[in-house]
Amino acid sequence: ERIRELECILAEKDEEIEELKAKLDKFQSIFPTATQQRHLGTFGAGMPRTQRAQGISAEPNLVIGDPSLAQVRTYAKSEKTKTLIRQAILENDFMKHLEDCQIEEIVDCMYPVEYSNGSCIIKEGDVGSLVYVLEDGKVAVTKAGAHLCNMGEGKVFGELAILYNCTRTATVKATTNVRLWAIDRHCFQAIMMRTGLLKHTEYLEFLTSVPTFSKLDEDLLRRIVDVMEECHFEYGDYIIRQGAIGDTFYIISKGNVQVTKRKSASSEPVVIRKLAKGDWFGERALQGEDMRTANVVVDDTEGVTCLVIDRQSFTQLIGDLDSVKQKKYDEVPVQNSKSDGFYVGLTLEDFTAIDTLGVGGFGRVELVELKNDITKTYAMKVLKKRHIVDTRQQEHIKNEKAIMMECQSDFIVKMYRTFRDTKYIYMLLECCLGGELWTVLRDKGHFDDSAARFYTGCVVEAFTYMHSRGIIYRDLKPENLLLDTRGYAKLVDFGFAKRIGFSRKTWTFCGTPEYVAPEIILNKGHDLSADYWSLGILMYELMTGSPPFSGSDPMKTYNQILKGIDMIEFPKKISKNAQSLIRKLCRDNPSERLGNQRNGIKDIQKHKWFDGFHWVGLRKGSMSPPIKPQVSSSSDSSNFDKFPEDEEEPPPDDLSGWDVDF
Ligand code: 6J7
């Protein structure tokens, strides 16, 4: 038994040796050994070169614009065959490095070929242009008459010919009837060039969408694209480790990362920032420091893709850009979510609904109390899953949860946790019993300068918090501001909020018509500065009772917005200083907007309309609010409008599992 076992091992080893010999032979035919080089007079390490080296031409026979680039012929094949070809390519040393999309195209373009037993498929010394994958049968490989190896199904051979013009380095003969799949050099090159060009265009478009690079001239952008390499990292991978030597610069093209940093060698790293598509990192170690100054860790279950640039290219092409050279970091740790033990232990059955605080197409918001401590009340937002799916809001709802759970600001309504069942998603929120600012505004008509300043100040604080974390809000309006029992305003409803990172744009059209910025209407891509536009609109509405741009239907409103703020005649009740700030916030060009300049949101706080405003008092909660709401107890819902009982129950969700995070 032992002998049989050893014979088996020996047979396997023999096969392995044959395969390795064949590979070695192939490599040696392209890269001569040191001894051969010396004989040939070619140069080796540290040796003077005595003869001209032979160039290898790998230039494609194709030029951009060649019609065969646009379309390559494909041949139908079964899934089993496709898998066999794909697998053969992935096991081949030369071809396994191709991109997935290139492999797929090659698989589709290979055509069937058959040879009978004994026929010669490849002849040593011939010029070849075909590469084969063996689907069925056996072949023998010989060189100068000597047997090199046998090959069976699932093997690639002849692949050198598709890389450049070369003579065949060995003979391959069928030793049974064989069925093969083949592709020629021309078709292979068309695939490579096309996918390469597509990638180039894709990278160029992507770079143009990243504000740091968007203004660079196209020539420079193309040079950057030429040196970029795509790298993928899995969830939890450290792309950069603090203290390591760094030689690369990264631009995120897909996914999210966390930046963490330890203050001292013995302390735990804390999260200081989250980055997303379009954000870049790794410039510091390339600017003289050498050492990485923070960790960058993949924070996305689907992994992260980065476009990577090496030190030399960075220095030549990017390092001198002011926005890169002068990038400053405010190393404030990101607060952990509020999902502490108390809320984790609760179930829906622990709450009783007392009243309805709001109703909408999405569902409703109920005032609920904890059964075992009725002094603890919350707002429970109940969203119909079917409605979310029908209106394709799954991503928005997920963003809403992720962002609200992360935010810990006194100017943002807190989310404690979420629940779900077959029909609804539930969000347990801090309740603000002062009611909606919209209701107060409706009842009062408009606010005076000082009240408008106080509420605008609350929003500025909320935006300062969110924007410093790369989060855009996108739905500012009085309906989304709630007053707490003190009378301070807090932002609520984060359905349109999104983490877009810094200096990055997003294209989703969202917001409330009267409040959307012109670049959103024109689909030019928008960034955090769209929130500053809406801040100007809010100021106007708070001081007059209605927004400056308002038509009988959204299209009319959009047309007015596109005509610009200069077309608006400001009523007298808006003070000169307030007018000045509104006009500066509502600039058509986002880069001219106050808040979007070098000093960021501080420019808004320093505007003369805010002269003397007690920002520190606002932050500490020591400032007196303009209106003190009447709230008699933790279950007093009298500051909210009355809403009817719920209509019929929605059907259950589509069970696609999009809601697993809730
Ligand atoms: Br993004 C980012 N934020 C910070 C930060 O607050 N502090 C530090 N030191 N680095 C930060 N980064 C990026 C920056 O690009 O993280 C990278 C770590 O490698 C750093 O460049 P690096 O020192 O080369």
Side-chain angles (χ1 to χ4, degrees), residues 24-44 47 50-51 143:
L24 185 65
D25 190 58
K26 207 179 288 177
F27 278 114
Q28 282 178 348
S29 63
I30 333 162
F31 308 116
T33 58
T35 2
Q36 283 169 324
Q37 276 178 4
R38 236 169 276 131
H39 286 305
L40 289 168
T42 49
F43 62 99
M47 276 196 301
T50 55
Q51 269 185 31
K143 187 176 172 72

Side-chain angles (χ1 to χ4, degrees), residues 314-334:
F314 174 87
T315 313
Q316 281 170 4
L317 305 170
I318 295 176
D320 266 347
L321 301 180
D322 283 348
S323 49
V324 175
K325 213 162 44 181
Q326 289 158 12
K327 177 102 179 181
K328 297 262 177 310
Y329 295 102
D330 170 16
E331 294 180 350
V332 186
V334 170

Side-chain angles (χ1 to χ4, degrees), residues 173-451:
K173 270 189 183 163
T175 54
T176 64
N177 289 341
V178 291
R179 282 193 296 117
L180 305 153
W181 292 92
I183 185 168
D184 69 15
R185 190 165 126 76
H186 185 83
C187 179
F188 176 80
Q189 283 178 344
I191 293 172
M192 302 304 284
M193 267 185 88
R194 203 163 53 138
T195 43
L197 283 173
L198 285 176
K199 274 261 168 261
H200 200 279
T201 317
E202 185 193 313
Y203 291 172
L204 196 64
E205 270 175 18
F206 168 64
L207 267 198
T208 320
S209 76
V210 178
T212 309
F213 306 108
S214 62
K215 303 226 168 57
L216 302 183
D217 71 61
E218 195 175 322
D219 190 45
L220 178 56
L221 280 176
R222 285 187 185 282
R223 284 165 58 206
I224 298 175
V225 167
D226 283 342
V227 297
M228 288 193 321
E229 274 197 36
E230 192 173 291
C231 281
H232 186 79
F233 303 91
E234 298 301 336
Y235 183 56
D237 281 356
Y238 273 66
I239 304 177
I240 280 182
R241 222 172 254 281
Q242 187 177 351
I245 304 287
D247 263 329
T248 32
F249 175 74
Y250 301 82
I251 308 169
I252 303 174
S253 65
K254 188 164 165 279
N256 304 303
V257 299
Q258 277 192 347
V259 181
T260 69
K261 186 164 180 163
R262 55 175 88 232
K263 285 269 168 279
S264 66
S266 57
S267 62
E268 281 299 305
V270 288
V271 179
I272 42 177
R273 207 172 309 288
K274 296 188 178 198
L275 306 179
K277 184 175 169 185
D279 291 328
W280 44 262
F281 56 89
E283 78 291 359
R284 289 193 151 193
L286 304 183
Q287 291 169 328
E289 298 194 27
D290 269 15
M291 290 273 231
R292 295 298 190 187
T293 55
N295 300 300
V296 181
V297 192
V298 178
D299 186 27
D300 200 312
T301 48
E302 288 178 19
V304 159
T305 307
C306 291
L307 300 176
V308 184
I309 295 167
D310 66 24
R311 180 185 282 271
Q312 197 187 354
S313 306
F314 174 87
T315 313
Q316 281 170 4
L317 305 170
I318 295 176
D320 266 347
L321 301 180
D322 283 348
S323 49
V324 175
K325 213 162 44 181
Q326 289 158 12
K327 177 102 179 181
K328 297 262 177 310
Y329 295 102
D330 170 16
E331 294 180 350
V332 186
V334 170
Q335 303 286 325
N336 281 331
S337 81
K338 300 164 285 289
S339 177
D340 62 25
F342 177 75
Y343 294 106
V344 169
L346 296 176
T347 68
L348 282 172
E349 283 64 49
D350 292 319
F351 300 93
T352 315
I354 318 172
D355 199 358
T356 300
L357 303 177
V359 172
F362 63 88
R364 50 206 295 118
V365 181
E366 304 281 2
L367 179 63
V368 298
E369 66 187 14
L370 251 188
K371 282 179 185 160
N372 62 10
D373 181 357
I374 58 166
T375 61
K376 286 206 166 84
T377 55
Y378 303 90
M380 183 78 87
K381 186 169 173 180
V382 187
L383 299 130
K384 295 173 189 159
K385 282 164 75 174
R386 179 51 73 89
H387 179 82
I388 296 169
V389 172
D390 289 348
T391 52
R392 301 200 192 156
Q393 298 290 313
Q394 294 96 316
E395 270 318 300
H396 283 162
I397 301 293
K398 285 195 222 169
N399 279 342
E400 181 171 5
K401 173 183 174 174
I403 290 171
M404 285 193 87
M405 288 297 286
E406 178 187 325
C407 287
Q408 290 234 54
S409 156
D410 285 338
F411 300 93
I412 293 173
V413 167
K414 292 186 174 48
M415 179 184 279
Y416 300 108
R417 66 159 293 176
T418 56
F419 303 92
R420 66 174 169 145
D421 60 24
T422 55
K423 294 174 183 165
Y424 302 100
I425 294 286
Y426 304 81
M427 295 177 171
L428 185 66
L429 305 169
E430 168 189 15
C431 69
C432 293
L433 294 177
E436 283 178 11
L437 188 63
W438 180 83
T439 320
V440 185
L441 179 62
R442 178 196 61 193
D443 296 346
K444 281 196 163 301
H446 66 92
F447 295 123
D448 62 21
D449 213 40
S450 144

